[in-house]
């Protein structure tokens, strides 16, 4: 239990099903990670992630890009919402927009993303499919800080996942998801404990005091 640890406030940005959000919410509720999810934001009003958030009594907000005159205005509105909620870490969990502008500058090295492949291989929207089509025998999961590129920021954690002969995109993604549900809460916990140091393009993990 980490109940005596100071909790940090995080926001989760999600566009889709939100199974990673679910894993993070459960880890927060059980005290496994010292965080409070202050807010779930989406760019998609149909995202099931919003339903999951409500089930966990987490406030939600939806930002439609069509409601804003420009991409800059959209990003600024999200950044303002995150700041107003006192968010210390922004967690992208299946968020289908590139995070840019004001969000990136205000939350430098405080935005994380999870990608369903071993970066820098197979960046982009179809990491699982691309790895499968290429024919790799090992793919995996990457948690990284977000920079201005597409899936290019400093890598926090990675774990390999085997690809089997009979796999299709769905079976491989299921196996990858199981690793994601463990790796993402761990990366968030390391951040909350102040144990991630970004040094150039690398992230150093400071050992726990009792390790
Ligand atoms: C995950 O596989 C994640 O790696 C990728 O998008 C997927 C989101 O799944 N960025 P879910 O919405 O958390 O179920």
């Amino acid at each position: 239990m980490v109940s005596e640890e100071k909790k940090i406030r995080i926001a989760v940005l999600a566009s889709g099903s939100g199974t990673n959000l679910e894993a993070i919410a459960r880890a927060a509720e059980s005290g496994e990670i010292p965080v409070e999810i202050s807010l779930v934001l989406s760019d998609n009003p149909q995202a099931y992630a919003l339903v999951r958030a409500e089930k966990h009594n987490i406030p939600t907000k939806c930002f439609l890009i069509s409601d804003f005159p420009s991409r800059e205005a959209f990003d600024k509105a999200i950044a303002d919402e995150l700041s107003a909620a006192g968010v210390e870490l922004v967690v992208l969990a299946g968020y289908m927009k590139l995070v840019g502008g004001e969000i990136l500058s205000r939350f430098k090295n405080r935005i994380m993303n999870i990608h369903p492949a071993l970066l820098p291989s197979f960046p982009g929207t179809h990491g699982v499919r691309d790895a499968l089509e290429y024919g790799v025998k090992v793919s995996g999961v990457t948690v990284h800080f977000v920079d201005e590129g597409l899936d290019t920021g400093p890598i926090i954690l990675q774990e390999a996942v085997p690809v089997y002969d009979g796999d299709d995109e769905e079976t491989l993604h299921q196996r990858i998801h199981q690793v994601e549900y463990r790796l993402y809460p761990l990366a968030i916990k390391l951040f909350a404990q102040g144990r991630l140091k970004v040094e150039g393009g690398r992230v150093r993990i400071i050992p726990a005091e009792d390790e």
Side-chain angles (χ1 to χ4, degrees):
M1 278 289 286
V2 288
S3 52
E4 285 160 33
E5 265 177 295
K6 183 190 162 287
K7 287 188 180 182
I8 66 158
R9 294 167 74 82
I10 72 168
V12 178
L13 272 57
S15 306
S17 158
T19 60
N20 277 283
L21 163 66
E22 183 78 41
I24 295 163
R26 287 185 187 175
E29 280 166 8
S30 72
E32 185 192 325
I33 60 173
V35 305
E36 177 193 325
I37 307 177
S38 306
L39 192 60
V40 169
L41 288 185
S42 185
D43 61 322
N44 170 17
Q46 311 302 329
Y48 193 68
L50 294 169
V51 177
R52 292 184 195 272
E54 279 157 21
K55 284 188 184 157
H56 286 276
N57 296 314
I58 302 166
T60 62
K61 201 132 194 182
C62 209
F63 285 85
L64 293 181
I65 196 147
S66 53
D67 288 344
F68 294 88
S70 65
R71 183 59 203 255
E72 288 70 32
F74 174 75
D75 283 338
K76 174 153 188 331
I78 292 179
D80 287 345
E81 189 72 37
L82 296 170
S83 296
V87 165
E88 292 158 83
L89 174 69
V90 180
V91 173
L92 309 185
Y95 184 63
M96 298 306 284
K97 289 216 162 31
L98 263 182
V99 164
E102 193 83 8
I103 310 176
L104 210 50
S105 53
R106 234 185 267 178
F107 292 89
K108 187 170 165 50
N109 290 337
R110 294 192 292 138
I111 309 171
M112 276 184 193
N113 183 42
I114 191 159
H115 184 74
L118 291 176
L119 294 172
S121 293
F122 312 115
T125 314
H126 301 292
V128 178
R129 186 197 303 171
D130 292 345
L132 200 57
E133 282 176 0
Y134 191 92
V136 296
K137 301 295 184 191
V138 175
S139 190
V141 175
T142 304
V143 181
H144 64 96
F145 283 117
V146 171
D147 65 9
E148 47 293 316
L150 175 63
D151 299 329
T152 52
I155 290 170
I156 301 165
L157 294 173
Q158 284 188 306
E159 190 169 313
V161 173
V163 180
Y164 299 134
D165 286 348
D167 271 336
D168 57 21
E169 192 176 347
E170 195 185 331
T171 58
L172 178 57
H173 206 160
Q174 272 173 12
R175 196 173 309 117
I176 284 172
H177 264 317
Q178 296 312 313
V179 174
E180 290 186 331
Y181 304 152
R182 188 162 39 73
L183 224 57
Y184 220 179
L186 175 59
I188 294 166
K189 181 176 176 177
L190 291 170
F191 181 95
Q193 294 174 331
R195 292 170 57 198
L196 299 178
K197 291 284 170 259
V198 183
E199 299 172 340
R202 300 175 73 176
V203 178
R204 189 161 57 90
I205 300 175
I206 299 167
E209 276 159 20
D210 55 0
E211 270 180 21

